[in-house]
Amino acid sequence: MITHQFDQRNSILNTFISELRDVNIQKDAMRFRRNIERIGEIMAYEVSQTLDYEETEVTTPLGTKKTFRRTDRLVICSVLRAGLPLHHGILNYFDAAENAFISAYRHHPNNDDDFEVVVNYFASPSLEGKVLILTDPMLATGKTLENVLNVLKDHGTPKQIHIISVIGSLTGVAKVEKVFPKDTQLWIAAVDEKLSSRGYILPGLGDAGDLSYGVKL
C-alpha cells in the first residue's frame, strides 16, 4: 500500500486539522463539518493527479484549445454518518462521480472493551473497472474498512482503490495495509500513535460523527 501522510509537511491542511482537534473550536458543529469538507477537497485534488486523462479540444468564444479531461470513472463510497462531510468535499471536485453509502457501527455485545463492527446498510453502483474512493474520517482499528471491503467484493472489482481519512492510528494503518490490495493508496491527514482500550484514537479528536451531527443515544 502507498501511504500519503500530509501532516509531515507544512500546508493549510494542518490548520484545519488543528481546529478539528481543538476542544473549544470543535464545539461549532458547522465549522467542524466544513473543516472536514475542506480536507476532502484537498485530498480530492491530490488523488486527481494519479488518475488517467485524455487529450481533447474545447471551443472558446474566440477559438479552440487543446486540454485534458479525466477518463476514469469514479465511485465515492462513504461510511455513514461520520463520512458525509468528507464525502461532500470530495464530491465538490469529482462532481460527476457515482456514489455509494454504507453504514457501519461498533457493537459492544458485553458492554466491555471488545467490539464487533456491524454493517447493516449498503447502496452502491457496480464497481467493476472503476476507481473506488473509500472515505472514513477516523481510521482507528481498521476493522470498519476491512468489513466494508468484504461487502464491496460482491459489487465488482475496482480498477484502483483509494482510501481517504482525516486521522488514523498506527494500528489502523497497519490493518488496512494488510487486508487491502497492494496497489491501494491511502491519503491521510495525520497519524496518531495510540488507541484507547475501547479502540478510539489518542489524542485524536473525539467522535467525528457526534461532533458533526450531534450526540446519538
Side-chain angles (χ1 to χ4, degrees):
M1 187 174 72
I2 303 169
T3 300
H4 310 270
Q5 184 177 334
F6 288 84
D7 65 346
Q8 295 181 331
R9 63 180 188 267
N10 289 327
S11 75
I12 190 62
L13 185 145
N14 287 327
T15 297
F16 302 149
I17 299 170
S18 297
E19 292 185 356
L20 289 172
R21 292 188 191 269
D22 191 302
V23 69
N24 294 308
I25 296 176
Q26 66 178 208
K27 292 176 182 177
D28 183 342
M30 184 170 67
R31 187 169 178 180
F32 186 88
R33 292 192 303 271
R34 180 58 184 137
N35 278 334
I36 291 183
E37 185 177 347
R38 291 193 286 192
I39 289 173
E41 291 171 345
I42 292 170
M43 298 289 197
Y45 172 77
E46 295 289 339
V47 170
S48 75
Q49 298 178 72
T50 73
L51 303 176
D52 289 337
Y53 294 80
E54 65 179 5
E55 188 176 88
T56 186
E57 191 173 78
V58 295
T59 301
T60 79
L62 302 176
T64 60
K65 178 67 178 179
K66 289 184 178 179
T67 185
F68 293 88
R69 286 181 176 165
R70 190 187 76 242
T71 56
D72 283 320
R73 295 176 298 163
L74 307 183
V75 176
I76 307 169
C77 179
S78 292
V79 178
L80 300 174
R81 59 185 169 147
L84 288 175
L86 197 56
H87 188 109
H88 290 155
I90 298 166
L91 194 59
N92 285 344
Y93 277 34
F94 297 136
D95 46 271
E98 296 178 274
N99 298 272
F101 298 94
I102 189 165
S103 70
Y105 66 92
R106 300 177 182 214
H107 175 55
H108 296 262
N110 301 314
N111 201 30
D112 55 16
D113 291 345
D114 293 329
F115 67 91
E116 57 188 18
V117 176
V118 178
V119 174
N120 58 10
Y121 173 81
F122 180 54
S124 174
S126 169
L127 305 176
E128 189 66 36
K130 300 173 184 177
V131 174
L132 173 63
I133 300 177
L134 284 175
T135 78
D136 190 8
M138 306 301 288
L139 177 51
T141 65
K143 291 181 180 179
T144 296
L145 286 179
E146 180 182 22
N147 282 23
V148 169
L149 178 64
N150 290 332
V151 173
L152 292 174
K153 288 178 179 177
D154 294 333
H155 285 72
T157 302
K159 171 186 175 182
Q160 174 74 46
I161 299 176
H162 296 272
I163 300 170
I164 295 181
S165 292
V166 176
I167 297 177
S169 71
L170 292 174
T171 300
V173 171
K175 181 69 171 180
V176 297
E177 201 168 51
K178 179 180 179 181
V179 301
F180 275 79
K182 293 186 181 299
D183 63 345
T184 299
Q185 296 197 48
L186 170 64
W187 307 81
I188 192 163
V191 178
D192 293 348
E193 293 185 1
K194 299 179 181 180
L195 289 173
S196 71
S197 61
R198 292 180 71 86
Y200 289 94
I201 301 170
L202 297 175
L205 51 77
D207 188 305
D210 287 356
L211 290 166
S212 293
Y213 299 109
V215 177
K216 56 189 174 294
L217 290 176

